[in-house]
Amino acid sequence: MSSGRALKRLWPHARRWLPWLLAAAVLYLVAQQAREVEWARVWASLRELPLRVVFASLALALCAHTLFSAYDLIGRRLVRARITRGRTLAVAAIAYAFNLNFGALIGGVGMRLRLYTRAGLSAGTVGQMVTHSFIANWLGWCWVLGTVLVCSPPPLRVDGAPGAGALRALGAVLLLVAVGYHALCAFGGRKALRWRGHTLPLAGARVALVQAAMGAAVWMLMALSLWNLLQGRAPYPLVLGALLLAGVAGALTHVPSGLGVLESVVA
């Protein structure tokens, strides 16, 4: 009991210092990553690219970032969160930027939790919104990667890598997972999923289609931005497949900013 009381006394003071500690940790990570980048080579590579290519890729990346941030609008509607659309987009855009650079724990969850709770939402509501954003992202990933693997599996130049037949089978599994989610939303007969005391409002059939379309569009826009920077040196389906594989590899390895993950997959 005494330890619990002590924690309650310390919590108001800890709340004042935790944001500053988080900011210091973020700045430290930024400095560490900046030291590992060979900025002279980066600048030289950028100077070799035509300006129209650079601006086109920036525009595509901005569209993907904005659409990714809009995932939270779906969660906002499903959980009936009392927050404006504009503030939702702003919070999601900031959190997504941190997610890309410092991983899902700090950006996707931690930053959202901090900013949304300051806007008056409960931690449970934030968790539901984050879950729906996660579903939209990976539902689109399943649809796009499943289609790519079934129709045009990329060659994997790694010892022991699965062949075209195994990749097509994997693609079929991913498509079945996506179809299963849509079937659950359309015919599940439940308005919410419950697990160990937690509740998640279930998307309807139309909202699930919106989730899939938005998720697929984000991945395809990111791949189009990368393909444009490569100036057509590789086919778009190959770039798309590599990006999709790098996405799951980065999520599993938790490498900050995904440094080296995409390069390893493409190589």
Side-chain angles (χ1 to χ4, degrees), residues 45-64:
S45 299
L46 286 175
R47 291 182 62 181
E48 293 176 0
L49 291 172
L51 284 178
R52 58 179 178 80
V53 172
V54 175
F55 285 120
S57 287
L58 284 174
L60 290 167
L62 180 60
C63 289

Side-chain angles (χ1 to χ4, degrees), residues 156-173:
L156 301 180
R157 301 174 182 176
V158 181
D159 294 338
L167 290 177
R168 286 193 172 92
L170 175 60
V173 171

